[in-house]
C-alpha cells in the first residue's frame, strides 16, 4: 500500500479529499401528504412527498447551490483547492441548477405535520393529541407539528411527548 501524499502543511491527503457542503431550506412551502388507501392495515399508505413543488422552494434550491459555490470560492478555503464534483461547474443555467437540485437533493429526515391538530374534517388529533373517533389512541410525535422547526426536531418532539404524558396522567388519574 502506497503512503498518502502530503499537502503543503505536511498533512496526509486522502485519495479523495473532500468536503460536502450542505444547505437546508428551513422554511419550505411545498407540502406533501400521507393518505390511507384502504381499511386493510397491511396496505401501505399513499405517500406524496411533493418536494420542490412551489416556485419559492425551487428558487431557494437554485440560490443555495449558487451561494454554496460562493462559499467554496472564498479565500479562506483557497489553500484546499476545492473542486466541485456535483453537480459540476458546467451546470450553470437556472434550469440545469433546478434539475440538479431535484436530482441531488435529500431530506434531513425530519418530516412533520402529517396529523393535523384541530376540529375540522381534515384534523387527525385534538388539542390533547387524541385521535378523533378512536378511543385511547394519541399521536405523540413530530407529525402533530403544523410546520417544521428551524432546527432539529428532536427537542420539540420530546416536548410534545412530555405534554402527552401530562395529558395521559390527567385523563387517567390513579386513586
Amino acid at each position: 500500500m502506497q503512503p498518502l501524499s502530503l499537502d503543503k502543511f505536511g498533512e496526509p491527503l486522502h485519495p479523495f479529499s473532500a468536503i460536502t457542503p450542505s444547505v437546508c431550506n428551513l422554511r419550505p412551502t411545498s407540502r406533501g401528504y400521507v393518505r390511507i388507501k384502504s381499511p386493510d392495515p397491511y396496505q401501505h399508505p399513499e405517500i406524496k412527498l411533493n418536494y420542490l413543488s412551489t416556485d419559492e422552494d425551487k428558487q431557494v434550491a437554485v440560490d443555495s447551490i449558487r451561494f454554496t459555490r460562493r462559499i467554496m470560492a472564498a479565500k479562506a478555503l483557497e489553500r484546499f483547492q476545492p473542486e466541485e464534483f456535483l453537480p459540476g461547474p458546467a451546470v450553470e443555467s437556472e434550469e440545469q441548477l433546478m434539475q440538479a437540485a431535484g436530482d441531488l437533493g435529500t431530506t434531513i429526515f425530519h418530516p412533520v405535520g402529517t396529523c393535523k391538530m384541530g376540529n375540522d374534517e381534515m384534523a387527525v388529533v385534538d388539542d390533547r393529541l387524541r385521535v378523533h373517533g378512536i378511543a385511547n389512541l394519541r399521536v405523540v410525535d413530530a407529525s402533530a407539528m403544523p410546520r417544521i422547526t428551524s432546527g432539529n426536531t428532536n427537542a420539540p418532539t420530546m416536548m410534545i411527548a412530555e405534554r402527552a404524558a401530562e395529558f395521559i396522567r390527567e385523563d387517567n388519574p390513579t386513586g
Side-chain angles (χ1 to χ4, degrees):
M1 183 158 137
Q2 293 185 347
L4 298 176
S5 300
L6 302 179
D7 68 13
K8 66 180 182 179
F9 302 100
E11 297 293 323
L13 293 174
H14 186 275
F16 186 74
S17 295
I19 181 173
T20 304
S22 179
V23 295
C24 173
N25 182 350
L26 292 178
R27 300 280 185 216
T29 56
S30 298
R31 296 288 177 258
Y33 58 83
V34 177
R35 293 191 177 132
I36 296 172
K37 296 189 300 188
S38 163
D40 177 358
Y42 296 103
Q43 174 93 28
H44 294 284
E46 177 186 5
I47 301 173
K48 174 79 170 174
L49 301 176
N50 235 11
Y51 298 132
L52 301 174
S53 62
T54 66
D55 290 340
E56 183 178 342
D57 286 355
K58 290 175 186 176
Q59 193 61 55
V60 167
V62 168
D63 291 347
S64 296
I65 294 172
R66 289 186 174 132
F67 187 70
T68 301
R69 286 175 169 172
R70 287 201 318 267
I71 292 170
M72 296 310 295
K75 186 162 181 62
L77 295 174
E78 193 174 81
R79 73 179 184 144
F80 300 108
Q81 302 173 344
E83 295 178 48
E84 184 175 327
F85 185 68
L86 289 173
V91 176
E92 293 181 351
S93 74
E94 191 91 2
E95 295 77 26
Q96 290 173 317
L97 290 169
M98 186 56 241
Q99 181 68 44
D103 291 347
L104 301 172
T106 63
T107 72
I108 55 172
F109 306 107
H110 295 163
V112 304
T114 54
C115 289
K116 183 178 190 242
M117 185 182 297
N119 293 314
D120 60 85
E121 67 180 39
M122 292 298 294
V124 176
V125 298
D126 66 15
D127 61 355
R128 294 177 70 81
L129 303 169
R130 296 175 294 210
V131 175
H132 292 295
I134 303 177
N136 300 315
L137 180 62
R138 295 179 197 255
V139 172
V140 183
D141 61 24
S143 61
M145 293 180 194
R147 300 225 185 272
I148 193 165
T149 58
S150 293
N152 194 292
T153 55
N154 184 51
T157 303
M158 289 171 48
M159 205 278 318
I160 291 169
E162 288 288 334
R163 286 295 286 152
E166 289 175 18
F167 296 152
I168 292 166
R169 282 194 302 271
E170 290 169 6
D171 293 348
N172 300 285
T174 58

